Amino acid sequence: MNRKLRWIDYPRAGRTGLRRWLPSLRQTPAVLLLCSGIGVAGIGYAYATTTIPDPNPSTLLQNNVYYWSDGSVLATDGSVNRENVTIDKVPIDVQWDFLAAENSSFYSDPGIDPKGILRAVVHMAEGGSAQSGSTITQQFVKNTYLDQSQTVSRKARELLISAKIGAVMSKQEILQGYLNTCFFGRRANGIQAASRAYYDLPVEKLNASQGAFLASAVNEPSLYQYADSDPKARAQAEQRWSWVLDRMVKIGRLTPQQRAAYAAAGFPAPRKWSSGSGLKGQTGYLVELAKSYAQAHDRSITDKSLSKGGYQIHTTFDRRRTAQLQQAVEKVREERLDPAHRPVDRDVQVGAASIEPGTGRVVAVYGGPGFDRGHYMNNADTSGVPVGSTFKPVVLASAFQNGAVLRPGGPAEPINPNSVFNGDDAIQIKDQQGNFVADDKDPSGFLHQHNDTDHKWGPINLRTAMEQSVNTPYVQLGEYVGYRNVATTARSLGLRSGSLAAPSAGFFIGTSTPSAIRMAGAYAAFAARGTHVDAYSVTEVTYNGRALDGFAPPAPVRALPTAVADNVTDVLRGVIARGTGTKAQALGRNAAGKTGTTDDFQSAWFTGYTTQLSTSVALFREDPEHPRLLSMEGVGGGQKIFGGDIPTEIWTRYMRDALAGLPDTPFPAPGSLSGGASDPAIASPSPSSSASPATPSKGKTAPPKQPPTRRTTGPACHHKCR
């Protein structure tokens, strides 16, 4: 029988069984070629249809890094501990540590290792454990675009995407992406976070030995993160570290001499690690201050953008002085308060701030016990605590600058520290029209201003009245200067309008509620001879390495004439030398300051300064369940508590430490102020004003004959601030 000839003899004619379906020896090369062609075509199709996916959202997340003024890390926040860096920030030797350990042919290979992939795939297909077999490029693709599963399909995608990535990205971009996405243990994603976590260094300062350890940590992060404390982890880490350095020599990136030097220096043991929260002690308050400042000066910085991370916020906070302020508060609390045995000592709180005169830099704050102890309100930045007599220097400065209307209908007359006013208790106060100020809470219908005691000072000059914190002269002076003028002076010194009390007699002796930061800033203007600089806490903000605009230091402005500021300082020096602030003499330096205490002892303050530093300390009591100020009477075991007591002790202890090593610079001699008019009510002796200045007198001011033209509001008029 004639068989019909076929172009392709398959299935094979004349054969039966299995042999019918097996290709002949002559057909085998063709079959192999056909299969290869189909495979190549399939791979080509897969490559052509493969697109580079969007990066995993988690790889785009970073943390925000806050820095102390010396450049060291203050804190980080965010859901992912990562701070991306450009490749030029990573030392060349450190880059090669990773390449030597993971992919020494990185700069010459096409980005994929088919043999390694095939070996890993076969191993997994046979049921073996997962193997990498990956180049740096493949690991970058896995970290950035894929998940961490070890499956054949995921490996195939990794290979295809890696080939595409190698064609569109430079080697430097790939290495940068790899180093920013590796996980190193200790919750550190990326080499910058790892450098901070293991060595407390920015990546720029790593050497080849430290880099060799980090290149090892990538291999087994869950083990090597404990190389500081676990002997087993330490031993394995040392072995891997040594191997990486040997590889560096082998590929010509280290000389044998350099390798020997690193061996002689020993294993670069990482620092101790605690997995707890970083927002402990004062850190939380500092971060919130810096964050608020940054958001106020760049509207693109929102809570939403901060949640994605990528910001580097450089602050003015001095690491050493912040610790010293905290230590001063804690030491005085330990010495003076006994909450376990004295209930009134419970819920006593402190807020404090320290500012550099002439620059406005906030160098330290004490905001409270700490976020980690459940206290989230920053006592240094809170409004609501009356400042008491620490406001009197503002009144005095305004009087020096604007003069005072001492005679109804007359011009403002110049005032100086020797101007004399009535210092007796319970005197009546006149306004600029010569009318007595009314008070609807006084049985007489008129204000009878009180001092802290009923001591009869009689005529007293403003210097002595400041030293002894006598209220009546400053309430009367304030009325003569005028609320508007005093409020303007307060704002020029940096006090916010919203913290200033409404017009009342009490306004002049401290019913306003500026924060400790604002009070330190106001007194800093006295220290800087009338130059005010807005308090600021951020010097620079970068986002993903790009500096943002709007963070230049605030410009100095002339808030007070030099002679005015210097004379205020001269008066406040007397408060420490002879007055209510004598405890501050323990500082042993040229210093000026003022105490403050409010009605019912609800708050006590001391704000003072040298030429180098201005610091304000507030003490108050607040019920945590029902936030309101409570009386501090009996706090510390005494019957009463004043600003010259615990707040001054804290101030003195802190300033002594903070200024250690700095020269004791004297204040400039004050220039003369013209005039020096006194309250005309004292010019005509009366039963209450016949004594000489600063000498106790007898009697009280006669009641007015005319009806009042203005009424005061609320109980502020009865304040006995000191």
Side-chain angles (χ1 to χ4, degrees), residues 380-557:
D381 194 39
T382 185
S383 294
V385 181
V387 296
S389 290
T390 56
F391 193 77
K392 288 175 183 173
V394 178
V395 178
L396 186 65
S398 191
F400 289 165
Q401 184 175 19
N402 300 295
V405 179
L406 303 178
R407 294 169 178 80
E413 299 180 48
I415 298 293
N416 69 30
N418 295 319
S419 297
V420 177
F421 287 76
N422 191 346
D424 281 348
D425 183 54
I427 67 169
Q428 291 181 274
I429 304 298
K430 289 184 179 181
D431 61 20
Q432 290 183 343
Q433 289 73 45
N435 299 314
F436 288 126
V437 175
D439 179 11
D440 56 12
K441 294 187 179 300
D442 191 289
S444 69
F446 306 108
L447 170 64
H448 289 77
Q449 181 59 49
H450 290 277
N451 295 320
D452 178 61
T453 70
D454 59 3
H455 182 77
K456 299 186 184 304
W457 292 98
I460 186 173
N461 65 38
L462 293 174
R463 181 187 300 277
T464 304
M466 184 73 77
E467 292 172 1
Q468 303 304 320
S469 207
V470 185
N471 291 335
T472 49
Y474 278 92
V475 174
Q476 184 58 80
L477 176 66
E479 288 287 347
Y480 285 158
V481 175
Y483 175 87
R484 181 175 296 178
N485 283 336
V486 175
T488 298
T489 299
R491 286 191 291 269
S492 73
L493 294 172
L495 304 188
R496 290 173 171 164
S497 297
S499 69
L500 299 180
S504 73
F507 167 75
F508 303 112
I509 52 174
T511 56
S512 297
T513 58
S515 68
I517 291 175
R518 293 286 164 174
M519 288 302 292
Y523 277 49
F526 299 145
R529 311 190 71 191
T531 298
H532 171 70
V533 184
D534 284 339
Y536 74 106
S537 58
V538 174
T539 60
E540 181 185 11
V541 177
T542 61
Y543 179 64
N544 285 336
R546 178 178 62 86
L548 303 184
D549 295 330
F551 294 98
V557 296

Side-chain angles (χ1 to χ4, degrees), residues 68-92:
W68 292 103
S69 59
D70 64 4
S72 60
V73 173
L74 162 65
T76 60
D77 69 359
S79 58
V80 174
N81 183 19
R82 176 189 289 113
E83 179 188 350
N84 289 339
V85 293
T86 53
I87 193 64
D88 60 288
K89 298 290 186 182
V90 184
I92 294 296

Side-chain angles (χ1 to χ4, degrees), residues 72-156:
S72 60
V73 173
L74 162 65
T76 60
D77 69 359
S79 58
V80 174
N81 183 19
R82 176 189 289 113
E83 179 188 350
N84 289 339
V85 293
T86 53
I87 193 64
D88 60 288
K89 298 290 186 182
V90 184
I92 294 296
D93 283 347
V94 176
Q95 295 179 33
W96 276 100
D97 280 322
F98 286 84
L99 298 179
E102 299 290 326
N103 185 188
S104 61
S105 63
F106 173 72
Y107 282 106
S108 59
D109 66 37
I112 58 175
D113 180 8
K115 290 182 179 179
I117 286 284
L118 181 61
R119 184 170 57 250
V121 169
V122 170
H123 190 76
M124 287 186 292
E126 293 175 347
S129 59
Q131 289 188 344
S132 172
S134 300
T135 63
I136 290 287
T137 304
Q138 290 170 242
Q139 293 182 60
F140 164 62
V141 167
K142 179 179 67 175
N143 294 340
T144 305
Y145 302 103
L146 303 173
D147 56 39
Q148 300 299 311
S149 63
Q150 295 287 355
T151 63
V152 172
S153 61
R154 207 275 296 151
K155 277 287 183 182

Side-chain angles (χ1 to χ4, degrees), residues 216-512:
S216 303
V218 168
N219 195 250
E220 287 192 77
S222 61
L223 176 63
Y224 292 173
Q225 66 182 346
Y226 298 112
D228 62 313
S229 56
D230 184 341
K232 178 182 177 183
R234 167 75 177 247
Q236 288 193 220
E238 280 199 54
Q239 184 178 13
R240 178 77 177 180
W241 161 78
S242 181
W243 176 82
V244 173
L245 290 180
D246 288 341
R247 286 279 301 159
M248 288 279 280
V249 174
K250 184 175 182 179
I251 65 174
R253 302 309 304 186
L254 278 183
T255 66
Q257 293 76 19
Q258 290 172 317
R259 171 69 178 90
Y262 284 127
F267 175 65
R271 68 187 182 100
K272 295 292 183 183
W273 177 52
S274 171
S275 59
S277 169
L279 299 182
K280 295 180 179 180
Q282 300 311 298
T283 304
Y285 308 120
L286 299 175
V287 166
E288 287 302 314
L289 274 176
K291 186 184 298 183
S292 296
Y293 186 92
Q295 289 181 307
H297 287 76
D298 188 331
R299 296 198 175 191
S300 71
I301 304 175
T302 64
D303 288 343
K304 183 176 181 180
S305 68
L306 284 167
S307 70
K308 296 179 180 178
Y311 291 93
Q312 295 81 45
I313 300 176
H314 299 261
T315 76
T316 61
F317 305 131
D318 186 297
R319 189 173 194 165
R320 178 178 61 88
R321 285 174 168 167
T322 297
Q324 289 167 337
L325 184 54
Q326 180 173 346
Q327 290 163 5
V329 172
E330 292 175 348
K331 188 66 175 177
V332 173
R333 288 184 68 102
E334 180 184 345
E335 293 174 353
R336 297 296 307 277
L337 303 182
D338 186 10
H341 301 95
R342 199 159 47 228
V344 72
D345 286 356
R346 298 168 190 165
D347 304 324
V348 174
Q349 298 189 35
V350 177
S354 194
I355 287 178
E356 193 174 78
T359 70
R361 294 168 65 93
V362 181
V363 298
V365 300
Y366 180 85
F371 281 17
D372 53 314
R373 299 180 64 180
H375 186 92
Y376 299 102
M377 178 66 70
N378 185 351
N379 293 343
D381 194 39
T382 185
S383 294
V385 181
V387 296
S389 290
T390 56
F391 193 77
K392 288 175 183 173
V394 178
V395 178
L396 186 65
S398 191
F400 289 165
Q401 184 175 19
N402 300 295
V405 179
L406 303 178
R407 294 169 178 80
E413 299 180 48
I415 298 293
N416 69 30
N418 295 319
S419 297
V420 177
F421 287 76
N422 191 346
D424 281 348
D425 183 54
I427 67 169
Q428 291 181 274
I429 304 298
K430 289 184 179 181
D431 61 20
Q432 290 183 343
Q433 289 73 45
N435 299 314
F436 288 126
V437 175
D439 179 11
D440 56 12
K441 294 187 179 300
D442 191 289
S444 69
F446 306 108
L447 170 64
H448 289 77
Q449 181 59 49
H450 290 277
N451 295 320
D452 178 61
T453 70
D454 59 3
H455 182 77
K456 299 186 184 304
W457 292 98
I460 186 173
N461 65 38
L462 293 174
R463 181 187 300 277
T464 304
M466 184 73 77
E467 292 172 1
Q468 303 304 320
S469 207
V470 185
N471 291 335
T472 49
Y474 278 92
V475 174
Q476 184 58 80
L477 176 66
E479 288 287 347
Y480 285 158
V481 175
Y483 175 87
R484 181 175 296 178
N485 283 336
V486 175
T488 298
T489 299
R491 286 191 291 269
S492 73
L493 294 172
L495 304 188
R496 290 173 171 164
S497 297
S499 69
L500 299 180
S504 73
F507 167 75
F508 303 112
I509 52 174
T511 56
S512 297

Side-chain angles (χ1 to χ4, degrees), residues 467-705:
E467 292 172 1
Q468 303 304 320
S469 207
V470 185
N471 291 335
T472 49
Y474 278 92
V475 174
Q476 184 58 80
L477 176 66
E479 288 287 347
Y480 285 158
V481 175
Y483 175 87
R484 181 175 296 178
N485 283 336
V486 175
T488 298
T489 299
R491 286 191 291 269
S492 73
L493 294 172
L495 304 188
R496 290 173 171 164
S497 297
S499 69
L500 299 180
S504 73
F507 167 75
F508 303 112
I509 52 174
T511 56
S512 297
T513 58
S515 68
I517 291 175
R518 293 286 164 174
M519 288 302 292
Y523 277 49
F526 299 145
R529 311 190 71 191
T531 298
H532 171 70
V533 184
D534 284 339
Y536 74 106
S537 58
V538 174
T539 60
E540 181 185 11
V541 177
T542 61
Y543 179 64
N544 285 336
R546 178 178 62 86
L548 303 184
D549 295 330
F551 294 98
V557 296
R558 173 58 61 183
L560 297 171
T562 301
V564 167
D566 287 350
N567 273 275
V568 171
T569 292
D570 192 55
V571 171
L572 296 185
R573 290 180 64 196
V575 173
I576 294 176
R578 298 174 294 276
T580 56
T582 53
K583 282 193 173 183
Q585 292 177 14
L587 177 62
R589 288 175 174 266
N590 286 282
K594 183 68 186 80
T595 59
T597 308
T598 56
D599 267 357
D600 299 324
F601 307 99
Q602 290 187 341
S603 63
W605 290 70
F606 186 79
T607 303
Y609 54 94
T610 65
T611 58
Q612 302 106 327
L613 209 56
S614 175
T615 301
S616 184
V617 179
L619 188 78
F620 58 96
R621 235 182 118 223
E622 188 172 59
D623 181 352
E625 299 296 328
H626 308 284
R628 61 186 179 88
L629 294 179
L630 303 174
S631 174
M632 291 192 293
E633 194 165 2
V635 164
Q639 184 178 359
K640 298 179 179 180
I641 186 166
F642 297 101
D645 190 18
I646 292 177
T648 305
E649 288 186 22
I650 292 171
W651 182 92
T652 304
R653 188 182 294 268
Y654 161 69
M655 292 287 278
R656 185 176 59 233
D657 294 339
L659 296 170
L662 296 179
D664 179 15
T665 308
F667 294 108
S672 62
L673 296 171
S674 61
S678 299
D679 187 349
I682 299 177
S684 300
S686 69
S688 63
S689 60
S690 58
S692 59
T695 302
S697 63
K698 299 179 180 180
K700 297 184 178 180
T701 305
K705 300 298 183 182

